[in-house]
Amino acid sequence: MPPCNFVPEKYQSYPYERMLKIREQNVSPSLRTFYKKPLLLHQGYMQWLFDYEGRRYLDLFAGIVTVSVGHCHPKVTMATQKQLARLWHTTNIYMHPSIQEYAEKLTSLVPDPLKVVYLTNSGSEANDLAMFMARLYTRNFDIISFRGAYHGGSPYTLGLTSIGPYKHGVANGFGCSTTMLPDVFRGPWGGSNCRDSPVQTVRKCSCSEGVCHANEQYIEQFKDTLNTCVPKTIAGFISEPIQGVNGAVQYPKGFLKEAYRLVRERGGVCISDEVQTGFGRTGSHFWGFQTHDVVPDIVTLAKGIGNGFPMAAVVTTKEIANSLAQNLHFNTFGGNPLACVVGAAVLDAIEEDHLQKNSKDVGTYMLLELAKLRDKFEIVGDVRGKGLMIGIEMVTDKDSRHPLPAEEISEIWEDCKDMGVLIGRGGLYNQTFRIKPPMCITKKDADFAVEVIHAALERHMERADAK
């Protein structure tokens, strides 16, 4: 494990067994924990987490892609402490310096004409508001999303979310339609040069330069949805630039550009859900939509926007924003002084620590190293992603692409944790390891992570051979 000069404080709260009992009795059972023996984490510093016994872990999941600049980043911590002593909350019915300062700073990073921001508290809330704005502005109702998408867990956004375990047996999704996910690994079409990534699928194709048969086929499926599932005019289309919860799924190059054109022909607006891809995580660009050479009409932001502080935002055009101003729409905590100061400090840290460049450099390095594991192990079906948004899809074999059984994936996952590396899970079958760490990780950290994953895969093969 790479060295770390940070020494955590001594844990002084309840014993582990009491914490576990309280969790079981007093915390909602819907809030599930990872691992057979849930971790009791005590402190964090940059890319590291420490448990109650002082054991150190390399955090490759960043609080579900939320800790962008590092746990307890000194600059963000200092700014937060300073504001805590000055002013916490007034609501946005009064002006306070930080909301104007932050709105100017944030919108300066977004291309024209996206220059108006509405600040909220979570990604679900931001996407909920984006849906509402799209419908108000267009005076249409239907919204399209991809299968495999995650856009939130509120009753409104659950209609856009298309991953079975998140669906509850209550009415939701009125006016929401899903379309085929253009997944070039698991979908019906895909080739050897489809996606914007240092690592391509193992699937082969005969496409010539500048031609993508898979993209053409997926666009035809998108047109079919427009022609069969929605009215002639629609409210909009929402997509993640790279699907997050579904395991860093990437679309063919050029797909979103053509899809945006088709949606706008129907009177709809295009919404980019940047909750996981924003703030430099993809490396080559600050926003994920820029990697597709498109400019959306509405952008939603959360997670990394506050490095773990609860805040989110909807950025849009003045015209679309005005549609919400015809009647009263209010948010008690959105844009509070503390949140805006945190958000500004996060933007400063990203710039000063060169974290977008680090995401590109370390992410590309890590993707190429992980691709070597894909080439070595038959059960590693796909390695994909861009920057520090990476997925490793586990399969029984590369030909069938059947998901590796959940119990086998869990064993590999537990082994990684036991060796000091925390990674996420995702995918329709929970078959994909999600690597989305704080953007401050180093190449030495990446080497350590790859070594641990390699060792966990070796252990799995030994168990399989012993059966």
Side-chain angles (χ1 to χ4, degrees), residues 1 47-48 56-60 420-422 441 445 448-449:
M1 183 178 286
Q47 64 268 48
W48 303 104
R56 178 161 57 104
Y57 298 90
L58 177 62
D59 183 9
L60 294 189
V421 173
L422 306 181
I441 70 161
D445 299 330
F448 171 64

Side-chain angles (χ1 to χ4, degrees), residues 347-367:
L347 292 178
D348 289 341
I350 291 170
E351 181 181 8
E352 292 168 13
D353 296 353
H354 309 290
L355 295 183
Q356 181 182 331
K357 182 178 186 301
N358 193 63
S359 290
K360 181 179 180 180
D361 293 346
V362 177
T364 300
Y365 175 77
M366 195 173 192
L367 276 161

Side-chain angles (χ1 to χ4, degrees), residues 10-26:
K10 184 179 179 181
Y11 176 77
Q12 295 181 332
S13 191
Y14 300 148
Y16 180 87
E17 291 72 21
R18 185 177 176 189
M19 285 291 191
L20 198 61
K21 188 174 182 180
I22 294 170
R23 179 83 183 203
E24 291 170 351
Q25 293 180 346
N26 303 119

Side-chain angles (χ1 to χ4, degrees), residues 112-157:
D112 290 330
L114 303 167
K115 294 300 174 185
V116 182
V117 60
Y118 191 115
L119 294 164
T120 66
N121 307 287
S122 73
S124 292
E125 191 180 355
N127 282 331
D128 195 288
L129 181 58
M131 293 174 72
F132 191 43
M133 283 182 169
R135 286 168 169 165
L136 283 174
Y137 176 70
T138 63
R139 299 297 177 185
N140 299 322
F141 193 67
D142 288 74
I143 300 177
I144 298 170
S145 64
F146 284 134
R147 291 169 203 144
Y150 182 85
H151 295 294
S154 69
Y156 217 37
T157 56

Side-chain angles (χ1 to χ4, degrees), residues 22 28 42 54 85 123 174 178 203 227 229 261 266-267 300 336 386 407 410 414 445:
I22 294 170
S28 171
H42 163 53
F174 184 48
T178 61
R203 300 173 76 173
N227 291 330
C229 300
R261 186 188 69 79
R266 296 289 187 115
T300 57
N336 68 76
K386 189 172 172 65
E407 61 273 15
S410 293
E414 293 274 353
D445 299 330

Side-chain angles (χ1 to χ4, degrees), residues 199 202 367-383 392-398 450-462 465:
V199 181
V202 294
L367 276 161
L368 294 173
E369 291 300 304
L370 290 169
K372 296 175 184 177
L373 301 184
R374 180 200 62 185
D375 297 340
K376 180 176 181 179
F377 294 95
E378 182 67 15
I379 60 171
V380 181
D382 195 28
V383 169
I392 307 172
E393 184 158 348
M394 307 301 294
V395 296
T396 56
D397 61 274
K398 289 183 172 69
V450 173
E451 287 173 12
V452 165
I453 295 169
H454 182 270
L457 292 170
E458 291 280 13
R459 288 185 187 180
H460 174 270
M461 299 310 297
E462 290 169 5
D465 290 342

